[in-house]
Amino acid sequence: MRLFFVIVLCVLTFNCEDKQSQKKTPTQTIDSTMVKKQVDPEVTDTISEEKKEDFLLTDENAMEFFLQYDKEHKENKVRIVTDFGNIDIELFEETKFHRSNFIYLAKKGYFNDTQFYRVIENYIIQGGSTDNREVMKKRRYIGKYLLPTDTKHGFHHDRGVISMPSSDIENPYKLASPYEFFIMLKDVHELDGDYTIFGKVTSGLDVADKIANVETDDADWPLKNVYIRRVEILD
C-alpha cells in the first residue's frame, strides 16, 4: 500500500526526480477515489444504514453549508497534537469557508491518526492524509468536495502560515482539497494567489521544524510515519 502512495505522489508532482522544482509548489493531494480502487474489499463494503442517513458534503452543497456553519461555530484556535510536540494555530476569520472547514473536520475527528506525509526541510510540512484505509473511509462518510481559493486578503506565504493545497483532479482553478494542509517553514511568496492561506502558527513552529528534519524517501514521505494524533479545538 505504501509503495502505491509513493507512486501516486510521484505521478502527481511535476517530476519526482526534480527535487528543486518539487520544492517550489506544494504537492497536489492524494485523491481518495484513486485509493478506494486499490484498498482491501472490506473498505468498499456497503455503508451501514446509519451512515447512509448521515449528511454528506458535495461540491453542490459545501459552500452553503460552511456559510451557515461559520455563523454558528466561531472557534478559531486549534492544536495539532503530534509525537514531536504540539503545534498551535490561529485560523483567520477572513477565510471563513476554509476556517469553518478545518473546524468541522476537527470536530468530526477526521485528522485523528492522519500523517504529515510530505516534509521538506526549511520548506514545508504537508499533512492531513495517510496510507491508512480507515482514514479513507472517514472521507467517504464526510463527503467529496473542493473549496475555491480565497486569496484576496493580503496574506502571504511567510514562515508559519497554514495553507491549503489544490486537489489532484483536473483542476485549472486550483480548487483546494479540504482534507489536507501545509505549514510554511520559509517565505515563498511565489505561492501567493494560488493557494489559500487560512491561519498561522502561534506556538510550536519549532515542532514543525523537527518534523521537517526527519529522514524521507525520494517522494519526501517520512521513512518513519509522522502522525497527527488529533486536532483539538482550543477556542
Side-chain angles (χ1 to χ4, degrees):
M1 173 64 72
R2 174 153 180 158
L3 177 59
F4 169 76
F5 272 90
V6 172
I7 293 172
V8 171
L9 282 170
C10 288
V11 171
L12 295 177
T13 51
F14 295 112
N15 184 337
C16 279
E17 297 179 357
D18 183 355
K19 297 296 287 294
Q20 292 305 314
S21 64
Q22 198 175 14
K23 291 182 180 182
K24 294 180 181 179
T25 305
T27 302
Q28 293 175 322
T29 61
I30 300 171
D31 185 0
S32 59
T33 60
M34 297 171 64
V35 174
K36 286 190 291 183
K37 296 176 182 178
Q38 302 293 328
V39 297
D40 190 281
E42 293 180 3
V43 178
T44 56
D45 285 348
T46 303
I47 300 175
S48 67
E49 289 301 317
E50 178 182 356
K51 290 297 182 181
K52 285 182 179 179
E53 296 174 359
D54 286 351
F55 171 75
L56 291 177
L57 286 166
T58 67
D59 287 335
E60 287 70 33
N61 65 24
M63 296 301 290
E64 179 60 29
F65 173 82
F66 286 121
L67 182 63
Q68 296 304 316
Y69 194 87
D70 173 72
K71 297 177 181 179
E72 302 173 8
H73 301 267
K74 295 297 185 181
E75 302 94 331
N76 70 337
K77 295 179 176 62
V78 300
R79 172 170 292 161
I80 300 174
V81 179
T82 80
D83 295 335
F84 289 75
N86 299 334
I87 303 173
D88 291 353
I89 291 174
E90 178 185 346
L91 304 176
F92 297 149
E93 294 183 4
E94 291 90 337
T95 50
K96 58 185 176 183
F97 294 107
H98 299 74
R99 180 198 65 81
S100 296
N101 171 78
F102 199 87
I103 294 295
Y104 178 73
L105 293 180
K107 289 185 175 182
K108 298 283 281 187
Y110 167 74
F111 294 110
N112 297 359
D113 296 322
T114 57
Q115 299 172 23
F116 283 106
Y117 64 89
R118 182 177 183 241
V119 306
I120 302 176
E121 184 179 1
N122 194 36
Y123 182 57
I124 65 167
I125 58 173
Q126 187 162 322
S129 194
T130 176
D131 54 2
N132 185 329
R133 63 177 180 265
E134 292 302 315
V135 173
M136 296 303 124
K137 288 173 66 176
K138 288 184 185 180
R139 293 190 182 198
R140 291 176 60 199
Y141 300 149
I142 295 171
K144 185 177 180 180
Y145 62 102
L146 300 174
L147 296 176
T149 54
D150 187 2
T151 60
K152 299 181 179 179
H153 303 289
F155 303 135
H156 299 286
H157 282 84
D158 295 329
R159 173 173 164 83
V161 302
I162 180 172
S163 189
M164 193 170 289
S166 59
S167 170
D168 58 1
I169 65 172
E170 185 177 346
N171 190 6
Y173 299 107
K174 294 188 180 297
L175 299 179
S177 171
Y179 294 106
E180 302 171 44
F181 61 90
F182 60 94
I183 297 173
M184 297 301 306
L185 300 180
K186 66 179 294 185
D187 299 350
V188 187
H189 292 173
E190 55 261 40
L191 300 181
D192 295 351
D194 287 336
Y195 307 97
T196 299
I197 298 165
F198 63 101
K200 65 179 180 180
V201 174
T202 57
S203 177
L205 197 53
D206 59 323
V207 174
D209 287 328
K210 291 178 184 177
I211 293 173
N213 287 332
V214 303
E215 189 175 359
T216 66
D217 60 20
D218 290 339
D220 301 318
W221 194 308
L223 295 181
K224 183 178 180 180
N225 290 335
V226 179
Y227 286 100
I228 298 171
R229 295 303 179 184
R230 62 188 178 277
V231 172
E232 300 174 350
I233 309 296
L234 299 181
D235 186 17

